[in-house]
C-alpha cells in the first residue's frame, strides 16, 4: 500500500462527508502521521501493506483493501500464495478474539483470498463465517446498478471492448477463471 493511500484514508476522516456521518470523530492533531494516526474517539489506524509487518500490533477491525495490485498479481501462483500466507501468518494472528475483517478487492479469480476464505470457512447463509457483498454493474434482472452513470448499453459496450472474462471480474464481481474459459461453450 502506498503512503498516498494512508494519507487519503486520514484525509477522508477529516472530510465534510465523513463529518456529516460521524460529527464527533476527528483525527487527533498530536497523532496524525500518514501510516499511523489516532482519532478523538480512541480509534487507532495503522497502515501496513499485504506483505508488510504488523509485529506487536493487534486489531479489533482489519480492513484488507486490494491485496492484489492487478490481474497479473491475482493469477500469479507465487503472489497468490504470498497473500494467503500473509493473511494466515501475519494478519489473522494479530486479531482480537471477536475482531471483524473486511476485505475489498476485485475478484480476479475464484482462488483469490476471498475465494480461499469462503471455501475454508463457509458463507454466513450456509452457517459459515463470511458474508459476501456483491454489487454487480448489471443485476440479475438486467438493470444497471448506477444507471445515471453507466447505462446497460454503456456497460455492454465496455464488455464488448474488454472481453467477458475481465468484465465479469471488474464489473460483475464474478470471476471466471482461465480454466473455465477453456471448456466454456462458444456463444
Amino acid at each position: 500500500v502506498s503512503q498516498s493511500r494512508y494519507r487519503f484514508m486520514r484525509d477522508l476522516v477529516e472530510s465534510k462527508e465523513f463529518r456529516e456521518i460521524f460529527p464527533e470523530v476527528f483525527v487527533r492533531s498530536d497523532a496524525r502521521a500518514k501510516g499511523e494516526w489516532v482519532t478523538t474517539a480512541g480509534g487507532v489506524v495503522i497502515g501496513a501493506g499485504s506483505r508488510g509487518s504488523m509485529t506487536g500490533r493487534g486489531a479489533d477491525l482489519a480492513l484488507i483493501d486490494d491485496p492484489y495490485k492487478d490481474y497479473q498479481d491475482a493469477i500469479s501462483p507465487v503472489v497468490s500464495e504470498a497473500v494467503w500466507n500473509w493473511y494466515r501468518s501475519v494478519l489473522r494472528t494479530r486479531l482480537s478474539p471477536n475482531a471483524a475483517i473486511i476485505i475489498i478487492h476485485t475478484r480476479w479469480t475464484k482462488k483469490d483470498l476471498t475465494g480461499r476464505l469462503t471455501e475454508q470457512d463457509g458463507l454466513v447463509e450456509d452457517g459459515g463465517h463470511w458474508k459476501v457483498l456483491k454489487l454487480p454493474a448489471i443485476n440479475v434482472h438486467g438493470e444497471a446498478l448506477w444507471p445515471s452513470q453507466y447505462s446497460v448499453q454503456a456497460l455492454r459496450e465496455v464488455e464488448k471492448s474488454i472481453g467477458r472474462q475481465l468484465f465479469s471480474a471488474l464489473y460483475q464481481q464474478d470471476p471466471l477463471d482461465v480454466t473455465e474459459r477453456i471448456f466454456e461453450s462458444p456463444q
Side-chain angles (χ1 to χ4, degrees):
V1 177
S2 70
Q3 290 297 315
S4 63
R5 182 169 287 182
Y6 299 141
R7 187 180 314 111
F8 171 79
M9 290 185 293
R10 184 195 60 205
D11 293 348
L12 180 65
V13 172
E14 295 179 321
S15 72
K16 176 185 165 222
E17 294 81 8
F18 187 90
R19 192 78 46 244
E20 289 173 3
I21 300 168
F22 304 103
E24 307 293 321
V25 180
F26 297 88
V27 176
R28 281 185 16 198
S29 61
D30 64 331
R32 47 179 292 108
K34 285 182 288 211
E36 184 171 340
W37 43 274
V38 180
T39 71
T40 55
V44 178
V45 176
I46 299 167
S50 65
R51 293 177 198 105
S53 174
M54 294 172 49
T55 304
R57 306 290 187 172
D60 294 318
L61 170 66
L63 174 64
I64 302 170
D65 183 19
D66 285 333
Y68 309 96
K69 70 177 183 179
D70 57 23
Y71 178 71
Q72 292 303 318
D73 258 12
I75 65 169
S76 164
V78 172
V79 173
S80 188
E81 200 60 26
V83 168
W84 177 243
N85 287 332
W86 171 82
Y87 171 84
R88 294 183 317 136
S89 66
V90 177
L91 182 105
R92 185 64 185 92
T93 63
R94 303 307 193 274
L95 298 179
S96 303
N98 294 314
I101 303 168
I102 299 172
I103 304 170
I104 303 165
H105 70 94
T106 300
R107 295 294 319 275
W108 294 107
T109 171
K110 291 182 180 180
K111 296 185 186 331
D112 60 20
L113 181 60
T114 297
R116 289 178 87 165
L117 288 169
T118 56
E119 183 179 312
Q120 173 183 284
D121 301 329
L123 296 171
V124 168
E125 55 267 27
D126 299 327
H129 299 295
W130 293 96
K131 176 72 178 163
V132 174
L133 173 63
K134 284 177 63 170
L135 299 171
I138 301 173
N139 69 20
V140 295
H141 305 293
E143 303 160 334
L145 173 67
W146 190 9
S148 63
Q149 185 68 22
Y150 291 100
S151 67
V152 171
Q153 180 182 354
L155 289 165
R156 291 297 178 206
E157 287 298 317
V158 171
E159 180 180 24
K160 193 163 67 173
S161 68
I162 68 173
R164 182 169 172 229
Q165 182 181 9
L166 286 177
F167 184 83
S168 184
L170 291 167
Y171 289 82
Q172 296 300 99
Q173 299 178 359
D174 189 22
L176 292 175
D177 289 332
V178 174
T179 54
E180 288 183 14
R181 300 279 297 162
I182 294 170
F183 299 105
E184 187 178 288
S185 59
Q187 295 188 7

